[in-house]
PDB file of all heavy atoms in Angstrom:
ATOM      1  N   SER Y   1     184.766  21.345-132.931  1.00 83.00           N
ATOM      2  CA  SER Y   1     185.202  21.831-134.136  1.00 83.00           C
ATOM      3  C   SER Y   1     185.581  23.359-134.013  1.00 83.00           C
ATOM      4  O   SER Y   1     185.007  23.976-133.082  1.00 83.00           O
ATOM      5  CB  SER Y   1     184.369  21.601-135.364  1.00 83.00           C
ATOM      6  OG  SER Y   1     183.145  22.343-135.131  1.00 83.00           O
ATOM      7  N   TRP Y   2     186.315  23.871-134.972  1.00 87.00           N
ATOM      8  CA  TRP Y   2     186.567  25.362-134.970  1.00 87.00           C
ATOM      9  C   TRP Y   2     185.432  26.056-135.191  1.00 87.00           C
ATOM     10  O   TRP Y   2     185.143  27.058-134.723  1.00 87.00           O
ATOM     11  CB  TRP Y   2     187.680  25.719-136.162  1.00 87.00           C
ATOM     12  CG  TRP Y   2     189.002  24.985-136.000  1.00 87.00           C
ATOM     13  CD1 TRP Y   2     189.532  24.076-136.923  1.00 87.00           C
ATOM     14  CD2 TRP Y   2     189.981  25.135-134.993  1.00 87.00           C
ATOM     15  NE1 TRP Y   2     190.760  23.774-136.492  1.00 87.00           N
ATOM     16  CE2 TRP Y   2     191.084  24.418-135.298  1.00 87.00           C
ATOM     17  CE3 TRP Y   2     189.956  25.828-133.696  1.00 87.00           C
ATOM     18  CZ2 TRP Y   2     192.181  24.273-134.371  1.00 87.00           C
ATOM     19  CZ3 TRP Y   2     191.071  25.748-132.885  1.00 87.00           C
ATOM     20  CH2 TRP Y   2     192.110  25.063-133.326  1.00 87.00           C
ATOM     21  N   ARG Y   3     184.477  25.503-136.086  1.00 84.00           N
ATOM     22  CA  ARG Y   3     183.288  26.170-136.303  1.00 84.00           C
ATOM     23  C   ARG Y   3     182.403  26.407-135.016  1.00 84.00           C
ATOM     24  O   ARG Y   3     181.694  27.300-134.822  1.00 84.00           O
ATOM     25  CB  ARG Y   3     182.475  25.442-137.343  1.00 84.00           C
ATOM     26  CG  ARG Y   3     181.056  25.930-137.660  1.00 84.00           C
ATOM     27  CD  ARG Y   3     180.427  25.075-138.740  1.00 84.00           C
ATOM     28  NE  ARG Y   3     180.292  23.657-138.251  1.00 84.00           N
ATOM     29  CZ  ARG Y   3     179.397  23.204-137.335  1.00 84.00           C
ATOM     30  NH1 ARG Y   3     178.519  23.948-136.911  1.00 84.00           N
ATOM     31  NH2 ARG Y   3     179.379  21.892-136.978  1.00 84.00           N
ATOM     32  N   SER Y   4     182.338  25.255-134.262  1.00 84.00           N
ATOM     33  CA  SER Y   4     181.601  25.348-133.048  1.00 84.00           C
ATOM     34  C   SER Y   4     182.198  26.339-132.017  1.00 84.00           C
ATOM     35  O   SER Y   4     181.393  27.034-131.335  1.00 84.00           O
ATOM     36  CB  SER Y   4     181.517  23.767-132.344  1.00 84.00           C
ATOM     37  OG  SER Y   4     181.064  23.793-131.081  1.00 84.00           O
ATOM     38  N   LEU Y   5     183.533  26.279-131.913  1.00 90.00           N
ATOM     39  CA  LEU Y   5     184.133  27.309-130.909  1.00 90.00           C
ATOM     40  C   LEU Y   5     183.741  28.668-131.403  1.00 90.00           C
ATOM     41  O   LEU Y   5     183.553  29.559-130.443  1.00 90.00           O
ATOM     42  CB  LEU Y   5     185.589  27.017-130.903  1.00 90.00           C
ATOM     43  CG  LEU Y   5     186.089  25.722-130.387  1.00 90.00           C
ATOM     44  CD1 LEU Y   5     187.521  25.519-130.400  1.00 90.00           C
ATOM     45  CD2 LEU Y   5     185.448  25.311-129.004  1.00 90.00           C
ATOM     46  N   THR Y   6     183.845  28.892-132.729  1.00 90.00           N
ATOM     47  CA  THR Y   6     183.612  30.302-133.228  1.00 90.00           C
ATOM     48  C   THR Y   6     182.164  30.693-132.993  1.00 90.00           C
ATOM     49  O   THR Y   6     181.834  31.818-132.500  1.00 90.00           O
ATOM     50  CB  THR Y   6     183.856  30.321-134.680  1.00 90.00           C
ATOM     51  OG1 THR Y   6     185.262  29.920-134.885  1.00 90.00           O
ATOM     52  CG2 THR Y   6     183.715  31.821-135.250  1.00 90.00           C
ATOM     53  N   ALA Y   7     181.272  29.847-133.222  1.00 87.00           N
ATOM     54  CA  ALA Y   7     179.885  30.017-132.787  1.00 87.00           C
ATOM     55  C   ALA Y   7     179.629  30.308-131.448  1.00 87.00           C
ATOM     56  O   ALA Y   7     178.823  31.253-131.062  1.00 87.00           O
ATOM     57  CB  ALA Y   7     179.026  28.880-133.181  1.00 87.00           C
ATOM     58  N   TRP Y   8     180.289  29.701-130.421  1.00 89.00           N
ATOM     59  CA  TRP Y   8     180.248  29.910-129.037  1.00 89.00           C
ATOM     60  C   TRP Y   8     180.636  31.367-128.671  1.00 89.00           C
ATOM     61  O   TRP Y   8     180.103  32.031-127.912  1.00 89.00           O
ATOM     62  CB  TRP Y   8     181.005  29.001-128.309  1.00 89.00           C
ATOM     63  CG  TRP Y   8     180.964  29.226-126.707  1.00 89.00           C
ATOM     64  CD1 TRP Y   8     179.859  28.865-126.004  1.00 89.00           C
ATOM     65  CD2 TRP Y   8     182.042  29.633-126.012  1.00 89.00           C
ATOM     66  NE1 TRP Y   8     180.343  29.252-124.673  1.00 89.00           N
ATOM     67  CE2 TRP Y   8     181.586  29.690-124.695  1.00 89.00           C
ATOM     68  CE3 TRP Y   8     183.302  30.187-126.356  1.00 89.00           C
ATOM     69  CZ2 TRP Y   8     182.277  30.250-123.667  1.00 89.00           C
ATOM     70  CZ3 TRP Y   8     184.121  30.717-125.093  1.00 89.00           C
ATOM     71  CH2 TRP Y   8     183.604  30.616-123.929  1.00 89.00           C
ATOM     72  N   LEU Y   9     181.818  31.798-129.278  1.00 93.00           N
ATOM     73  CA  LEU Y   9     182.343  33.115-129.147  1.00 93.00           C
ATOM     74  C   LEU Y   9     181.357  34.156-129.628  1.00 93.00           C
ATOM     75  O   LEU Y   9     181.147  35.215-128.976  1.00 93.00           O
ATOM     76  CB  LEU Y   9     183.713  33.288-129.833  1.00 93.00           C
ATOM     77  CG  LEU Y   9     184.924  32.530-129.187  1.00 93.00           C
ATOM     78  CD1 LEU Y   9     186.130  32.648-130.196  1.00 93.00           C
ATOM     79  CD2 LEU Y   9     185.350  33.182-127.820  1.00 93.00           C
ATOM     80  N   GLN Y  10     180.777  34.049-130.768  1.00 90.00           N
ATOM     81  CA  GLN Y  10     179.828  34.975-131.273  1.00 90.00           C
ATOM     82  C   GLN Y  10     178.517  34.929-130.422  1.00 90.00           C
ATOM     83  O   GLN Y  10     177.845  36.037-130.251  1.00 90.00           O
ATOM     84  CB  GLN Y  10     179.454  34.616-132.759  1.00 90.00           C
ATOM     85  CG  GLN Y  10     180.677  34.750-133.559  1.00 90.00           C
ATOM     86  CD  GLN Y  10     180.318  34.438-135.070  1.00 90.00           C
ATOM     87  OE1 GLN Y  10     179.310  33.846-135.449  1.00 90.00           O
ATOM     88  NE2 GLN Y  10     181.370  34.576-135.950  1.00 90.00           N
ATOM     89  N   GLU Y  11     178.205  33.758-129.917  1.00 89.00           N
ATOM     90  CA  GLU Y  11     176.938  33.670-128.930  1.00 89.00           C
ATOM     91  C   GLU Y  11     177.145  34.521-127.747  1.00 89.00           C
ATOM     92  O   GLU Y  11     176.168  35.244-127.256  1.00 89.00           O
ATOM     93  CB  GLU Y  11     176.612  32.246-128.776  1.00 89.00           C
ATOM     94  CG  GLU Y  11     175.479  32.016-127.891  1.00 89.00           C
ATOM     95  CD  GLU Y  11     175.282  30.588-127.389  1.00 89.00           C
ATOM     96  OE1 GLU Y  11     175.779  29.676-128.223  1.00 89.00           O
ATOM     97  OE2 GLU Y  11     174.451  30.231-126.432  1.00 89.00           O
ATOM     98  N   LYS Y  12     178.332  34.319-127.203  1.00 91.00           N
ATOM     99  CA  LYS Y  12     178.688  35.123-125.986  1.00 91.00           C
ATOM    100  C   LYS Y  12     179.098  36.513-126.283  1.00 91.00           C
ATOM    101  O   LYS Y  12     179.319  37.235-125.265  1.00 91.00           O
ATOM    102  CB  LYS Y  12     179.848  34.310-125.267  1.00 91.00           C
ATOM    103  CG  LYS Y  12     179.419  32.923-124.830  1.00 91.00           C
ATOM    104  CD  LYS Y  12     178.497  32.922-123.762  1.00 91.00           C
ATOM    105  CE  LYS Y  12     178.101  31.510-123.307  1.00 91.00           C
ATOM    106  NZ  LYS Y  12     177.014  31.426-122.311  1.00 91.00           N
ATOM    107  N   ASP Y  13     179.194  36.972-127.545  1.00 93.00           N
ATOM    108  CA  ASP Y  13     179.551  38.197-127.878  1.00 93.00           C
ATOM    109  C   ASP Y  13     180.975  38.614-127.466  1.00 93.00           C
ATOM    110  O   ASP Y  13     181.192  39.786-126.953  1.00 93.00           O
ATOM    111  CB  ASP Y  13     178.501  39.344-127.385  1.00 93.00           C
ATOM    112  CG  ASP Y  13     178.758  40.738-128.153  1.00 93.00           C
ATOM    113  OD1 ASP Y  13     179.196  40.661-129.317  1.00 93.00           O
ATOM    114  OD2 ASP Y  13     178.418  41.688-127.511  1.00 93.00           O
ATOM    115  N   ILE Y  14     181.921  37.732-127.434  1.00 94.00           N
ATOM    116  CA  ILE Y  14     183.272  37.890-127.082  1.00 94.00           C
ATOM    117  C   ILE Y  14     183.982  38.323-128.347  1.00 94.00           C
ATOM    118  O   ILE Y  14     183.948  37.754-129.343  1.00 94.00           O
ATOM    119  CB  ILE Y  14     183.983  36.609-126.552  1.00 94.00           C
ATOM    120  CG1 ILE Y  14     183.197  36.176-125.177  1.00 94.00           C
ATOM    121  CG2 ILE Y  14     185.398  36.788-126.242  1.00 94.00           C
ATOM    122  CD1 ILE Y  14     183.570  34.808-124.753  1.00 94.00           C
ATOM    123  N   ARG Y  15     184.695  39.547-128.226  1.00 93.00           N
ATOM    124  CA  ARG Y  15     185.242  40.148-129.438  1.00 93.00           C
ATOM    125  C   ARG Y  15     186.672  40.014-129.428  1.00 93.00           C
ATOM    126  O   ARG Y  15     187.348  39.778-128.490  1.00 93.00           O
ATOM    127  CB  ARG Y  15     184.963  41.718-129.360  1.00 93.00           C
ATOM    128  CG  ARG Y  15     183.336  42.068-129.276  1.00 93.00           C
ATOM    129  CD  ARG Y  15     182.743  41.877-130.643  1.00 93.00           C
ATOM    130  NE  ARG Y  15     181.349  42.037-130.714  1.00 93.00           N
ATOM    131  CZ  ARG Y  15     180.723  42.573-131.729  1.00 93.00           C
ATOM    132  NH1 ARG Y  15     181.415  42.947-132.705  1.00 93.00           N
ATOM    133  NH2 ARG Y  15     179.409  42.744-131.775  1.00 93.00           N
ATOM    134  N   THR Y  16     187.265  40.294-130.695  1.00 93.00           N
ATOM    135  CA  THR Y  16     188.720  40.178-130.797  1.00 93.00           C
ATOM    136  C   THR Y  16     189.248  41.556-130.154  1.00 93.00           C
ATOM    137  O   THR Y  16     188.646  42.461-129.761  1.00 93.00           O
ATOM    138  CB  THR Y  16     189.109  40.272-132.306  1.00 93.00           C
ATOM    139  OG1 THR Y  16     188.532  41.543-132.845  1.00 93.00           O
ATOM    140  CG2 THR Y  16     188.226  39.244-133.062  1.00 93.00           C
ATOM    141  N   PRO Y  17     190.580  41.554-130.098  1.00 91.00           N
ATOM    142  CA  PRO Y  17     191.159  42.687-129.499  1.00 91.00           C
ATOM    143  C   PRO Y  17     190.913  44.079-130.152  1.00 91.00           C
ATOM    144  O   PRO Y  17     190.840  45.097-129.548  1.00 91.00           O
ATOM    145  CB  PRO Y  17     192.713  42.376-129.647  1.00 91.00           C
ATOM    146  CG  PRO Y  17     192.743  40.962-129.518  1.00 91.00           C
ATOM    147  CD  PRO Y  17     191.624  40.541-130.287  1.00 91.00           C
ATOM    148  N   THR Y  18     190.574  44.023-131.447  1.00 89.00           N
ATOM    149  CA  THR Y  18     190.133  45.252-132.172  1.00 89.00           C
ATOM    150  C   THR Y  18     188.658  45.445-132.108  1.00 89.00           C
ATOM    151  O   THR Y  18     188.070  46.418-132.732  1.00 89.00           O
ATOM    152  CB  THR Y  18     190.554  45.132-133.650  1.00 89.00           C
ATOM    153  OG1 THR Y  18     190.055  43.982-134.303  1.00 89.00           O
ATOM    154  CG2 THR Y  18     192.098  44.967-133.724  1.00 89.00           C
ATOM    155  N   GLY Y  19     187.934  44.697-131.401  1.00 90.00           N
ATOM    156  CA  GLY Y  19     186.406  44.723-131.297  1.00 90.00           C
ATOM    157  C   GLY Y  19     185.635  44.032-132.369  1.00 90.00           C
ATOM    158  O   GLY Y  19     184.432  44.241-132.495  1.00 90.00           O
ATOM    159  N   GLY Y  20     186.183  43.271-133.234  1.00 90.00           N
ATOM    160  CA  GLY Y  20     185.549  42.633-134.360  1.00 90.00           C
ATOM    161  C   GLY Y  20     184.982  41.349-133.927  1.00 90.00           C
ATOM    162  O   GLY Y  20     185.214  40.781-132.728  1.00 90.00           O
ATOM    163  N   GLN Y  21     184.228  40.612-134.841  1.00 90.00           N
ATOM    164  CA  GLN Y  21     183.756  39.245-134.612  1.00 90.00           C
ATOM    165  C   GLN Y  21     184.743  38.268-134.981  1.00 90.00           C
ATOM    166  O   GLN Y  21     185.681  38.488-135.864  1.00 90.00           O
ATOM    167  CB  GLN Y  21     182.571  39.097-135.579  1.00 90.00           C
ATOM    168  CG  GLN Y  21     181.359  39.832-134.984  1.00 90.00           C
ATOM    169  CD  GLN Y  21     180.521  38.999-134.015  1.00 90.00           C
ATOM    170  OE1 GLN Y  21     181.089  38.148-133.450  1.00 90.00           O
ATOM    171  NE2 GLN Y  21     179.287  39.454-133.794  1.00 90.00           N
ATOM    172  N   TRP Y  22     184.734  37.167-134.199  1.00 92.00           N
ATOM    173  CA  TRP Y  22     185.785  36.128-134.497  1.00 92.00           C
ATOM    174  C   TRP Y  22     185.382  35.302-135.723  1.00 92.00           C
ATOM    175  O   TRP Y  22     184.117  35.063-135.996  1.00 92.00           O
ATOM    176  CB  TRP Y  22     185.770  35.124-133.386  1.00 92.00           C
ATOM    177  CG  TRP Y  22     186.458  35.671-132.111  1.00 92.00           C
ATOM    178  CD1 TRP Y  22     185.966  36.291-131.002  1.00 92.00           C
ATOM    179  CD2 TRP Y  22     187.974  35.622-131.847  1.00 92.00           C
ATOM    180  NE1 TRP Y  22     186.903  36.704-130.162  1.00 92.00           N
ATOM    181  CE2 TRP Y  22     188.181  36.427-130.615  1.00 92.00           C
ATOM    182  CE3 TRP Y  22     189.039  35.207-132.580  1.00 92.00           C
ATOM    183  CZ2 TRP Y  22     189.462  36.566-130.210  1.00 92.00           C
ATOM    184  CZ3 TRP Y  22     190.384  35.477-132.133  1.00 92.00           C
ATOM    185  CH2 TRP Y  22     190.548  36.048-130.979  1.00 92.00           C
ATOM    186  N   GLY Y  23     186.334  34.852-136.582  1.00 89.00           N
ATOM    187  CA  GLY Y  23     186.096  33.883-137.563  1.00 89.00           C
ATOM    188  C   GLY Y  23     186.938  32.576-137.254  1.00 89.00           C
ATOM    189  O   GLY Y  23     187.740  32.618-136.409  1.00 89.00           O
ATOM    190  N   SER Y  24     186.421  31.515-137.868  1.00 87.00           N
ATOM    191  CA  SER Y  24     186.969  30.272-137.358  1.00 87.00           C
ATOM    192  C   SER Y  24     188.515  30.185-137.814  1.00 87.00           C
ATOM    193  O   SER Y  24     189.205  29.588-136.975  1.00 87.00           O
ATOM    194  CB  SER Y  24     186.366  29.144-138.254  1.00 87.00           C
ATOM    195  OG  SER Y  24     186.398  29.167-139.596  1.00 87.00           O
TER     196      SER Y  24
END
């Protein structure tokens, strides 16, 4: 799910191009 993918990005501390946290 989108929620699961977002949780993985946050767990790996992978940021958006502006340095923010990903949302689903």
Side-chain angles (χ1 to χ4, degrees):
S1 63
W2 300 119
R3 176 183 56 83
S4 171
L5 299 181
T6 305
W8 179 77
L9 286 169
Q10 294 178 355
E11 177 187 343
K12 298 294 184 181
D13 196 28
I14 298 172
R15 301 285 178 145
T16 67
T18 58
Q21 288 275 14
W22 288 95
S24 56

